[in-house]
Amino acid sequence: MKAEQRSSPIDFSTRSLGVEIMDDLDCSGEVVDQTLRELDFINQWLGGNAVTIDAVKSCWKKIPGDQSISIADLGCGSGEMLRILARLAKKEDRQVVLTGFDANPHIVAYALNQSAGVKNISFSATDVFSKDFQQQQFDFVLATLFTHHFTEEELVILLQKLKQQTTTAIIINDIHRHSLAYYSIKFLTQLFSKSAMVKFDAPLSVLRAFRKSELEEILRKGGLTNYTLTWKWAFRWRLIIFP
């Protein structure tokens, strides 16, 4: 009888090179829609949205109340973050121009449908490394659960470009790679998720995510020195870069 094979222990010391299903830009249909619905729920339930929203509320105080604020959301998913900001801006009587970017046109189509009727939100199926995107300027750039999809080298280039495109703040909200974060999200998604993509991608996202020293090294290589880096529940890093 063959000896029972055991899986190797997970190495949390380095970032995974695994590819998420979400990285396939041709991915479409109900599996994408269900995934986006569940990601919205996870971000609300675990407080992930608040990590970004609180930073925006703090930073846009620097802009005069009668001045319109342009905000780009990279990897915008369903557009939920922008819809929250649209409601907040209305409550605080701020004028905002909100644009969501995602390289997957099927995700953009879903976001457009979910945001129908919100006049100050638009979406674009655009690669953030494209010349078309890099020629645009914004007051704020947001990136929630977005940066872990890239290599360190790609992030250095992206952040350098974003610094040139942004007037007030780049606000990044992404995962802290940690064993507790990994096993918690793996358990929760296996228990509650109806999306095969979420069950596969969510734990892998943690393995592709960052530790503090890795983010600091990316910033150092990019020559970015004016920033704050703060740990937030649940296992999130909030990085605010000031151009």
Side-chain angles (χ1 to χ4, degrees):
M1 181 180 294
K2 293 183 179 179
E4 181 182 353
Q5 291 185 343
R6 296 183 180 180
S7 58
S8 301
I10 296 173
D11 180 10
F12 292 96
S13 65
T14 58
R15 293 183 67 202
S16 170
L17 299 177
V19 178
E20 295 179 46
I21 300 173
M22 184 69 77
D23 291 329
D24 180 1
L25 301 183
D26 293 324
C27 193
S28 62
E30 177 57 25
V31 64
V32 172
D33 296 353
Q34 179 66 23
T35 295
L36 294 174
R37 287 192 291 269
E38 291 190 13
L39 288 177
D40 285 346
F41 177 78
I42 290 170
N43 275 317
Q44 293 169 13
W45 185 54
L46 293 180
N49 286 338
V51 174
T52 299
I53 298 300
D54 289 348
V56 174
K57 289 169 64 176
S58 176
C59 290
W60 76 10
K61 293 177 181 178
K62 301 177 181 180
I63 299 177
D66 59 351
Q67 182 176 324
S68 179
I69 302 172
S70 59
I71 301 178
D73 186 18
L74 311 187
C76 62
S78 76
E80 175 68 6
M81 184 66 67
L82 295 178
R83 293 191 294 275
I84 293 172
L85 286 173
R87 293 192 293 269
L88 178 63
K90 183 176 181 179
K91 180 180 179 181
E92 296 192 2
D93 196 26
R94 302 297 304 247
Q95 298 298 315
V96 291
V97 178
L98 307 168
T99 308
F101 294 91
D102 201 293
N104 186 329
H106 307 290
I107 291 178
V108 167
Y110 180 87
L112 281 166
N113 182 63
Q114 294 297 304
S115 305
V118 185
K119 296 180 180 179
N120 53 350
I121 298 181
S122 62
F123 295 93
S124 177
T126 303
D127 185 336
V128 296
F129 288 94
S130 68
K131 289 184 179 180
D132 178 60
F133 174 78
Q134 292 176 354
Q135 289 172 351
Q136 301 183 56
Q137 295 286 320
F138 310 97
D139 294 309
F140 292 89
V141 169
L142 313 181
T144 301
L145 302 182
F146 180 69
T147 54
H148 71 263
H149 289 276
F150 302 100
T151 66
E152 286 85 349
E153 293 75 16
E154 288 171 331
L155 281 177
V156 169
I157 295 170
L158 178 61
L159 293 179
Q160 287 175 327
K161 294 291 186 181
L162 291 178
K163 181 181 177 181
Q164 299 171 6
Q165 295 175 249
T166 311
T167 64
T168 303
I170 303 163
I171 300 172
I172 294 171
N173 169 2
D174 218 319
I175 307 166
H176 171 203
R177 189 175 73 253
H178 191 281
S179 59
L180 183 55
Y182 173 83
Y183 289 111
S184 295
I185 200 64
K186 188 176 180 66
F187 171 76
L188 289 171
T189 54
Q190 290 296 326
L191 192 62
F192 297 111
S193 176
K194 298 179 181 179
S195 167
M197 186 188 296
V198 169
K199 291 179 181 179
F200 181 83
D201 281 3
L204 180 54
S205 292
V206 178
L207 298 179
R208 293 179 61 173
F210 305 97
R211 290 187 171 177
K212 184 177 183 180
S213 59
E214 294 163 346
L215 289 171
E216 290 174 333
E217 180 64 9
I218 289 167
L219 293 163
R220 187 192 67 77
K221 288 181 177 178
L224 302 166
T225 58
N226 190 13
Y227 66 85
T228 63
L229 178 58
T230 312
W231 191 92
K232 296 289 183 178
W233 179 258
F235 291 94
R236 296 290 183 94
W237 289 115
R238 185 174 70 190
L239 172 62
I240 306 177
I241 301 171
F242 302 98

